Amino acid sequence: MSSATQAGGGKSVNERAESEVTPSLFIVPLQAIRADDVALAGSKGACLGELLRAGFPVPPGFVVTSMAYDRFVACNPLAEIIAQALRGQANRGAGIRDAFEGAPLPAEVKRPILAAYRQLGQGPVAVRSSAPAEDLAQATFAGQYETCLNVVGQRAVLAAVRRCWASLWSDRAIAYRARQGMDQTAVKLAVVVQRMVEAEVAGVMFTVNPVTGAGDEIVIEANPNLGQAVVSGLVTPDHVVLDRRSGQVKKQRLGRREVIIRVRPGGGIERVDGLATANTLALPDPALRHLMRLGLAIERYFGCPQDIEWAWAGGTLFILQARPITALPPASIAGSGEPG
């Protein structure tokens, strides 16, 4: 899988996209994606690609670009199905999703997806939707599109990509776009495929306090195994507030760990009952401080407060997603402190 930037003679992916549409732009290595490639890679893909290029610990992978989505729609009678469904009044998304999940992938899209998956090692991967309009200041689609974890095998990867595309047409997403006044016929979706991190602990981090707006505090929430339990609000996670300047713990609360989401042998994930009580934080103290430093570095890199998803596995921290915090109380004074 060659670098899209090299193949384009130094052009960004977006610059190439404006001048040509070739199969090489259906699949792009994550490390070739830049922050300004949002139209092609979606918000998530563009951010992760930029972080990976900057040397942050992001799992390797590739992006199935929005051009691949366009080709998939064009090679099947999906545009007509979408238009007809949007003219309806109820359950508009169900027919679109069924059509997407049953439609074949064009060979020029299918082949490079499988080639990129083979180059990634053909092991378990995380397959995540990445929409160009996913994390805007005036609209956030967080949690509305599909994420498929621990996907194993070529057939499963192709099915997961198709499921992500279909999730663009959930009833919730359609209704939300309508409320935001967005053109439904112009939407499209990229998909990020990354090597799966089988997390021992995972969760979220906010580089300013999202509740109080305090810019001198970092908030970290964690739970054993995959972070899906924290992100989806299924658990009362460990909750730690750190001082940005000193790294000292200002406040901590042990989680209840009601639910644990873990990988299932052979593919997929499973939800199991967790521990009723915990005596110590799930994330070791050195990892907590390292995570804080990573969060501050990412905030400095992008120049604004960040909402970050992370995972701890085998003694290594991984960044799974980063996005701007789009709404903060007026008390926020982000960037007021640096770690000691």
Side-chain angles (χ1 to χ4, degrees), residues 174-337:
I174 292 171
Y176 187 73
R177 288 194 295 267
R179 288 197 300 272
Q180 295 292 324
M182 299 175 70
D183 182 358
Q184 302 272 14
T185 61
V187 298
K188 55 186 69 180
L189 195 77
V191 178
V192 178
V193 180
Q194 290 175 282
R195 192 169 292 156
M196 181 69 191
V197 177
E198 191 171 338
E200 298 158 25
V201 187
V204 297
M205 168 172 52
F206 303 93
T207 61
V208 301
N209 193 314
V211 176
T212 66
D216 60 347
E217 294 180 344
I218 283 186
V219 176
I220 295 173
E221 296 190 330
N223 199 63
N225 294 96
L226 303 184
Q228 201 79 349
V230 178
V231 173
S232 57
L234 295 174
V235 295
T236 306
D238 291 351
H239 178 87
V240 182
V241 179
L242 297 167
D243 183 272
R244 286 172 65 110
R245 295 179 183 275
S246 66
Q248 295 302 307
V249 175
K250 298 177 67 173
K251 200 181 300 182
Q252 78 175 40
R253 182 193 66 225
L254 294 178
R256 297 178 185 171
R257 305 179 189 180
E258 302 95 331
V259 172
I260 288 175
I261 297 179
R262 63 190 185 190
V263 300
R264 192 171 55 201
I269 57 176
E270 59 185 2
R271 173 177 162 176
V272 298
D273 292 337
L275 303 173
T277 58
N279 297 322
T280 59
L281 294 174
L283 191 64
D285 188 74
L288 200 66
R289 300 303 193 282
H290 180 34
L291 179 59
M292 184 195 80
R293 291 191 293 271
L294 270 178
L296 288 173
I298 292 171
E299 180 187 273
R300 285 194 298 270
Y301 189 82
F302 286 119
C304 63
Q306 295 289 306
D307 169 359
I308 298 166
E309 295 178 24
W310 54 270
W312 168 262
T316 301
L317 278 166
F318 295 92
I319 301 301
L320 306 181
Q321 186 171 348
R323 52 179 170 252
I325 300 178
T326 54
L328 283 170
S332 175
I333 49 171
S336 63

Side-chain angles (χ1 to χ4, degrees), residues 37-100:
D37 287 325
V38 172
L40 203 67
S43 298
K44 187 182 287 105
C47 177
L48 289 173
E50 185 70 25
L51 287 171
L52 187 59
R53 289 166 60 91
F56 288 97
V58 173
F62 59 91
V63 175
V64 184
T65 70
S66 59
M67 284 190 173
Y69 171 89
D70 284 341
R71 182 58 62 94
F72 174 68
V73 170
C75 289
N76 294 285
L78 295 173
E80 182 180 347
I81 291 171
I82 291 169
Q84 290 177 352
L86 292 177
R87 288 194 290 268
Q89 297 300 315
N91 298 322
R92 295 183 294 176
I96 302 175
R97 294 192 302 275
D98 288 346
F100 267 61

Side-chain angles (χ1 to χ4, degrees), residues 142-163:
Q144 294 195 28
Y145 301 135
E146 187 71 47
T147 291
C148 303
L149 300 178
N150 197 35
V151 178
V152 180
Q154 295 186 9
R155 184 175 298 179
V157 168
L158 296 177
V161 170
R162 198 184 283 104
R163 281 178 60 191

